[in-house]
Amino acid sequence: MSASTCVLVEMGEEDPIISVAQLVAGLIGDADGKVVKECESLLEAGKFTEVVAEIMAHGGKLFADAPEKDLEAAVLIIGGLAQRLSPADAAKCVDQLVAAALAGTDRGSLRAAILFQLYNMTTDIKARFPILKKILGYVREAKLAELVAPISHHVEDNYKSWNLDAAETRAVLGDVFTMLAETSGNSDPNSTEAKRILDLQLLFLATFSAGEKLDAKGEEVAKAVVTSFVKATDMTFRCDLLGSPAVQALEGTKSSGALKLLTTMLTGNGVAEFATFAKSNGAVFKDLGLEEAECLGKMKLLALCALAEKSAEGEFTYAQVAEALQCGEGEVESWIVRAIGARLVEAKMDQVRGVAVVTRVNHRVFGDDQWKELKTKLASWRENLEAVANMTVPQIEA
C-alpha cells in the first residue's frame, strides 16, 4: 500500500512498554511518575492489556503532541507486543490505538500512516478488515485525497483474500470508488480516473448473481456503468456488459431505460432501430445525462461493428455501410476511419471496388453464445489441420 517506515527504538534495561509510559508521563506533565509506577505494577502482575489501557487513557495527548518518531515508535512497541497475546487481547490493544488515531484530523497524514501500520501489523485477517474500513472512513473525513488511489489499488488487489460476503464486498468497493469520484476532480468520462472508477464499479456489479434483485445502490451503480459505456470514446470493453446479471436486473426498475438503450445499441439492427427507440424514449437520454446526437454517433460505430461481424467473405461494401448507418456514401470512409481509430475494427479500404476488407472486429457482445461459436470454429480448424497433416505424411515418407 505504501513504503514501509523503519523506526529504530533506543531502549534501556526497562521493558519497552515502560518507555512508552515514560513518554506519556512527560507529555501530560506527570512529575510524580504515577503513570509509570502504575504501569510497572500492572506489568509485574502480568496484566499487559491493563498497561496498554493505562497508557491509552492519554492517547489523545500522545497522538496530538508526541514527536513524530516517538509516536511511531510507541505504536510499534504496543502493536508489536500485542501480537504475542491471544487474538482477543491483541484486538483490544490495537483497537485502543486505532481509536486514538481516529480521534482527530490534525496531523492527518501521520495518523493515517499509523493506521496503515496497525493494519499491516495485525496478523488476524478477521481483525484487519474492520481496521481497513476505519481507515477508509478516516481518509474521507480528513480529506486525504493523496491516499485514495493507493488504497483503491490495495483493495482491488486483496479484497478476495478477506473472505468477505457479497454485502461486505459491495460496501468496501462502493466506499472506494465513491472516494475516487469525490477526489478525482475530473469529469471527463475518458480520463484515467474515470476508467479506474469504472473498473471498481464492474467488480461491484460482479457480486450480483443471476436472478438477484438490485438494491438501491446496485441499481445506481448499474445505471452509472451503462452511462459510462455510452459516454466513453474507448469502446474496447473488457467484459460482457449486456450479459452482466446486475445490468439485466435493471429490467423492471426505475432505471430500466438504461438497459433498453444498451440492448438497442449492442444488439439492434442498425441506426434505423436506434432512431425508432429514440423517438419514443427521449426521457431516457435526459435521465442518463446523455445527448441523443452523441449516442447516435456511437450507434453508427457499433452498427459498423455489427456489419463487420456478419461479413461472410471478410469484407463489406460501401453501399452496405451507407444503408446500415443511414448516411451518404461520401461519409462512409470517414466512419470506417473512426471505427479503426476507436480500435473497433481493423480494415483496409479498397476505393476502386468500393469495399472494406476486415481483418479483425470487436464483437459488440461476447457472451456464452459467442464462446460456443468460437469453440466450434477452433474445433473445425483443428480438424482441418489434422486432415492436412494426414495428407502430407505419405508424401514426406515417399
Side-chain angles (χ1 to χ4, degrees):
M1 226 177 339
S2 60
S4 297
T5 301
C6 179
V7 179
L8 299 178
V9 184
E10 291 187 13
M11 296 182 293
E13 295 181 359
E14 74 276 356
D15 192 287
I17 194 70
I18 299 303
S19 67
V20 180
Q22 291 170 343
L23 171 64
V24 167
L27 292 171
I28 65 173
D30 180 19
D32 297 331
K34 291 181 181 179
V35 170
V36 174
K37 291 174 183 176
E38 180 64 22
C39 287
E40 288 174 338
S41 176
L42 290 169
L43 195 60
E44 285 179 10
K47 299 178 179 180
F48 183 82
T49 54
E50 283 84 348
V51 174
V52 173
E54 178 70 23
I55 291 172
M56 296 313 298
H58 309 286
K61 191 70 172 174
L62 178 66
F63 275 79
D65 297 336
E68 182 174 328
K69 295 300 180 184
D70 289 346
L71 176 57
E72 290 179 345
V75 170
L76 282 172
I77 290 170
I78 297 174
L81 292 174
Q83 300 310 311
R84 302 177 185 177
L85 305 176
S86 67
D89 285 342
K92 287 180 184 178
C93 296
V94 171
D95 285 347
Q96 292 178 72
L97 288 167
V98 170
L102 295 171
T105 54
D106 58 304
R107 310 176 86 180
S109 295
L110 176 58
R111 290 174 183 263
I114 287 171
L115 287 168
F116 284 132
Q117 216 171 47
L118 292 168
Y119 168 81
N120 289 324
M121 197 183 298
T122 302
T123 55
D124 183 356
I125 293 178
K126 290 183 179 180
R128 294 185 87 194
F129 181 62
I131 296 175
L132 180 69
K133 289 199 295 185
K134 291 174 182 178
I135 291 173
L136 289 172
Y138 184 78
V139 167
R140 196 172 188 175
E141 180 188 359
K143 297 181 172 57
L144 302 173
E146 70 278 6
L147 298 179
V148 175
I151 291 176
S152 73
H153 285 291
H154 178 78
V155 169
E156 184 176 6
D157 292 342
N158 294 279
Y159 77 96
K160 289 183 179 179
S161 69
W162 297 332
N163 299 320
L164 308 178
D165 60 26
E168 290 172 324
T169 301
R170 291 168 197 166
V172 69
L173 290 173
D175 284 345
V176 170
F177 64 66
T178 298
M179 290 165 62
L180 279 171
E182 290 173 348
T183 58
S184 69
N186 192 338
S187 59
D188 180 3
N190 303 297
S191 66
T192 301
E193 294 91 339
K195 291 177 182 178
R196 279 288 300 132
I197 292 169
L198 182 57
D199 285 340
L200 291 164
Q201 289 175 325
L202 289 170
L203 292 175
F204 177 98
L205 294 183
T207 64
F208 288 89
S209 54
E212 184 178 355
K213 289 186 178 181
L214 298 174
D215 56 13
K217 183 65 174 180
E219 181 180 344
E220 175 192 331
V221 176
K223 177 180 174 182
V225 166
V226 172
T227 304
S228 295
F229 169 74
V230 178
K231 283 184 175 181
T233 56
D234 180 1
M235 291 179 284
T236 53
F237 236 57
R238 296 172 297 284
C239 71
D240 175 21
L241 184 59
L242 194 58
S244 164
V247 172
Q248 285 296 321
L250 286 171
E251 186 172 359
T253 69
K254 292 186 293 183
S255 305
S256 60
L259 176 60
K260 293 175 183 176
L261 174 61
L262 185 68
T263 303
T264 301
M265 296 184 76
L266 292 181
T267 64
N269 294 316
V271 173
E273 186 172 331
F274 175 82
T276 301
F277 170 86
K279 188 174 182 180
S280 57
N281 291 278
V284 171
F285 299 101
K286 185 176 181 181
D287 179 48
L288 299 178
L290 299 169
E291 294 292 333
E292 184 180 331
E294 291 181 8
C295 293
L296 176 59
K298 186 156 191 175
M299 183 68 240
K300 288 184 177 183
L301 290 173
L302 292 171
L304 189 57
C305 285
L307 189 60
E309 288 175 35
K310 298 173 184 176
S311 56
E313 303 299 325
E315 63 181 37
F316 50 80
T317 67
Y318 285 13
Q320 288 175 310
V321 176
E323 181 182 357
L325 274 61
Q326 292 194 343
C327 66
E329 288 205 21
E331 301 175 64
V332 167
E333 289 188 352
S334 66
W335 281 107
I336 294 174
V337 169
R338 284 182 63 181
I340 293 171
R343 296 178 293 166
L344 294 174
V345 299
E346 288 179 7
K348 291 184 179 180
M349 290 177 282
D350 187 335
Q351 295 175 318
V352 175
R353 296 170 55 216
V355 300
V357 181
V358 180
T359 55
R360 184 192 66 81
V361 59
N362 270 13
H363 289 252
R364 295 179 299 169
V365 176
F366 207 95
D368 290 341
D369 291 341
Q370 287 70 35
W371 281 113
K372 290 175 183 176
E373 182 183 344
L374 179 59
K375 183 179 179 180
T376 301
K377 286 183 177 179
L378 289 172
S380 176
W381 291 344
R382 184 181 293 111
E383 289 175 4
N384 292 338
L385 287 171
E386 288 175 353
V388 171
N390 291 335
M391 290 173 59
T392 56
V393 167
Q395 297 175 11
I396 293 172
E397 291 177 347

